[in-house]
């Protein structure tokens, strides 16, 4: 499972880099004590990845209380947005899929709110972010799982264009029927399947961080598999800083010595990267990653990585996927049209492009 190990390690690296780097920037208002202590927490039971939380609190007891609530929130979102597993007493995305073409499913408001955001971003990205593509993504998932289960790459296979196109007949976003008054979700196409991997984790991170802030957590950084969201600043107004790891780093494990292409100041901001190096398998020496272009039904072939910086982790997650599936000029035009959103593109030929305001959040790279 080398690709999963890379994903776990990437999250660890980004969180570690964020913790280690320090600098000066604009300092948002914060009530964190200058003498607050630094604490760490790690979780491995949500969203199939590693979560690290770094926080400054006045005591161990305060930190433990905050982390108990934050972790409980993450577990709840993980169960609600799961497409593979059932949970007793929980109607989740899998429940909706299982009832496609059968009946509307009464769901938690947290599912409806997330789907509402995904539907809005479908329009924003001109269909490049489509949570109704589960039938197509399931095909790629099955081929990748089969490849990862076999230690040899010799028998790795690719889906046929015919089976992909057949599945694509069941990806019409208009077949997602949300009844807000009744609190139900219904898939009108019996063959449709939702896949919220492009939005669920980022949306959950945003909601969890907002809830933690409402409970009084004023200085923290949360990394869920590399989806980064900072809360407030460090003591004495010092900024949180996040390292964007080079997608061309060939090392299997990411650590503090990994190459960085940018260091971003991210107080009360989210930083999310989508890349072709996190989940993939190889056929005849060619890498086939997990971000599927809705137009071709094959792995998007524009970039190696796209990083989004903005105040909302859910928006950042959606945009990192949508922009990854767009030509550079189209993606840049979209980013420049959105207030408070910046982006960094890494092309397959080793070039780096940034939106016009990205540099305002950067710190100089250490030599």
């Amino acid at each position: 499972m080398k690709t999963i190990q890379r994903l776990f390690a990437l999250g660890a690296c980004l969180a570690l880099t964020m913790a280690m780097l320090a600098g000066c920037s604009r300092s948002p208002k914060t009530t964190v004590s200058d003498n607050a202590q630094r604490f760490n927490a790690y979780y491995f039971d949500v969203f199939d990845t590693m979560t690290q939380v770094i926080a400054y609190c006045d005591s161990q007891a305060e930190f433990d209380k905050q982390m108990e609530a934050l972790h409980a929130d993450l577990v709840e979102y993980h169960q609600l947005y799961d497409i593979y597993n059932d949970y007793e007493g929980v109607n989740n995305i899998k429940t909706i899929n299982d009832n496609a073409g059968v009946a509307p499913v009464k769901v938690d408001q947290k599912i409806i709110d997330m789907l509402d955001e995904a539907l809005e971003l479908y329009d924003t990205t001109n269909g490049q972010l489509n949570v109704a593509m589960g039938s197509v993504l399931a095909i790629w998932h099955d081929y990748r799982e089969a490849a990862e289960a076999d230690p040899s790459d010799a028998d790795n296979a690719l889906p046929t264009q015919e089976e992909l196109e057949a599945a694509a007949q069941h990806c019409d976003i208009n077949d997602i029927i949300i009844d807000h008054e009744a609190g139900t979700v219904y898939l009108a196409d019996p063959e449709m399947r939702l896949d919220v991997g492009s939005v669920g984790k980022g949306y959950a991170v945003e909601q969890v961080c907002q809830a933690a802030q409402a409970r009084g957590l004023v200085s923290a950084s949360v990394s869920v598999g590399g989806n980064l969201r900072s809360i407030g600043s460090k003591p004495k107004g010092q900024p949180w800083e996040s390292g964007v790891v080079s997608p061309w780093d060939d090392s299997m494990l990411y650590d503090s010595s990994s190459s960085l292409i940018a260091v971003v100041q991210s107080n009360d901001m989210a930083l999310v990267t989508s890349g072709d190096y996190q989940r993939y398998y190889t056929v005849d020496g060619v890498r086939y990653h997990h971000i599927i272009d809705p137009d071709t039904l094959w792995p998007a072939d524009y970039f190696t990585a796209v990083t989004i910086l903005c105040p909302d982790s859910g928006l950042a997650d959606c945009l990192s996927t949508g922009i990854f599936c767009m030509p550079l000029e189209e993606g840049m035009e979209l980013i420049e049209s959105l207030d408070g959103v910046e982006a960094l593109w890494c092309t397959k030929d080793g070039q780096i492009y940034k939106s016009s305001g990205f540099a305002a959040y950067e710190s100089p790279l250490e030599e």
Side-chain angles (χ1 to χ4, degrees):
M1 302 291 287
K2 59 179 180 295
T3 58
I4 299 297
Q5 292 173 346
R6 285 171 63 89
L7 179 60
F8 278 24
L10 175 60
C13 170
L14 290 173
L16 178 61
T17 303
M18 181 163 54
M20 293 179 62
L21 296 170
C24 298
S25 77
R26 298 163 291 182
S27 300
K29 291 182 180 179
T30 176
T31 58
V32 63
S33 167
D34 288 347
N35 297 317
Q37 303 173 62
R38 181 181 179 276
F39 298 94
N40 287 274
Y42 298 88
Y43 308 108
F44 298 90
D45 57 350
V46 292
F47 294 102
D48 301 316
T49 189
M50 186 191 79
T51 295
Q52 182 185 24
V53 183
I54 304 169
Y56 286 89
C57 295
D58 290 331
S59 67
Q60 181 74 57
E62 177 192 353
F63 175 74
D64 291 344
K65 181 178 179 180
Q66 287 285 354
M67 291 307 101
E68 181 180 2
L70 185 147
H71 179 240
D73 285 347
L74 282 173
V75 169
E76 180 183 16
Y77 281 101
H78 167 80
Q79 293 183 356
L80 287 172
Y81 298 165
D82 199 334
I83 67 173
Y84 300 112
N85 301 290
D86 298 303
Y87 302 91
E88 185 176 356
V90 176
N91 285 344
N92 60 8
I93 299 297
K94 181 178 184 297
T95 313
I96 297 171
N97 287 342
D98 290 346
N99 284 274
V102 177
V105 177
K106 178 73 172 178
V107 296
D108 191 290
Q109 187 65 33
K110 295 179 179 67
I111 288 180
I112 291 178
D113 290 343
M114 179 269 295
L115 291 177
D116 281 342
E117 179 157 331
L119 295 179
E120 181 179 347
L121 267 295
Y122 175 88
D123 293 332
T124 300
T125 62
N126 196 27
Q128 297 307 305
L129 187 283
N130 185 1
V131 294
M133 278 190 65
S135 56
V136 171
L137 299 180
I139 292 173
W140 283 103
H141 175 269
D142 291 345
Y143 275 89
R144 188 172 63 249
E145 288 282 295
E148 292 179 345
D150 188 342
S152 170
D153 289 343
D155 296 327
N156 291 356
L158 295 170
T160 65
Q161 187 66 29
E162 290 74 18
E163 64 182 314
L164 292 172
E165 290 179 356
Q169 301 305 307
H170 307 287
C171 300
D172 187 347
I173 200 79
N174 295 308
D175 285 329
I176 303 176
I177 311 300
I178 301 176
D179 187 329
H180 292 85
E181 184 175 346
T184 62
V185 179
Y186 175 59
L187 305 184
D189 182 348
E191 300 300 318
M192 173 176 280
R193 297 295 180 268
L194 297 178
D195 187 315
V196 298
S198 56
V199 58
K201 182 172 65 171
Y203 184 86
V205 169
E206 180 63 29
Q207 301 308 308
V208 165
C209 287
Q210 289 186 19
Q213 286 178 287
R215 289 189 293 264
L217 186 63
V218 295
S219 177
S221 68
V222 179
S223 171
V224 183
N227 281 56
L228 303 174
R229 172 61 154 81
S230 58
I231 296 173
S233 68
K234 296 178 182 180
K236 299 182 180 180
Q238 291 297 305
W240 294 103
E241 292 195 319
S242 309
V244 180
V245 178
S246 168
W248 306 293
D249 192 325
D250 291 330
S251 62
M252 284 298 296
L253 294 176
Y254 296 99
D255 56 31
S256 58
S257 65
S258 298
S259 300
L260 299 179
I261 57 175
V263 177
V264 178
Q265 300 167 354
S266 58
N267 293 353
D268 288 309
M269 297 284 277
L271 187 74
V272 178
T273 297
S274 290
D276 65 6
Y277 52 89
Q278 297 174 345
R279 279 185 287 165
Y280 65 89
Y281 73 108
T282 303
V283 179
D284 296 330
V286 178
R287 178 185 296 179
Y288 293 87
H289 61 83
H290 71 294
I291 306 173
I292 305 304
D293 188 330
D295 294 331
T296 66
L297 308 180
W298 288 76
D301 198 34
Y302 295 108
F303 307 105
T304 297
V306 171
T307 296
I308 301 294
L309 174 69
C310 70
D312 187 295
S313 177
L315 176 62
D317 209 1
C318 289
L319 288 176
S320 69
T321 300
I323 298 296
F324 193 91
C325 297
M326 295 181 186
L328 179 62
E329 295 76 11
E330 183 179 343
M332 281 191 164
E333 182 178 359
L334 173 57
I335 292 299
E336 296 296 347
S337 73
L338 300 173
D339 292 337
V341 179
E342 304 298 341
L344 180 152
W345 293 260
C346 297
T347 66
K348 289 183 172 292
D349 61 356
Q351 301 299 308
I352 298 174
Y353 296 89
K354 302 173 184 178
S355 59
S356 60
F358 195 91
Y361 296 91
E362 288 187 273
S363 293
L365 284 171
E366 295 183 0
E367 296 295 334

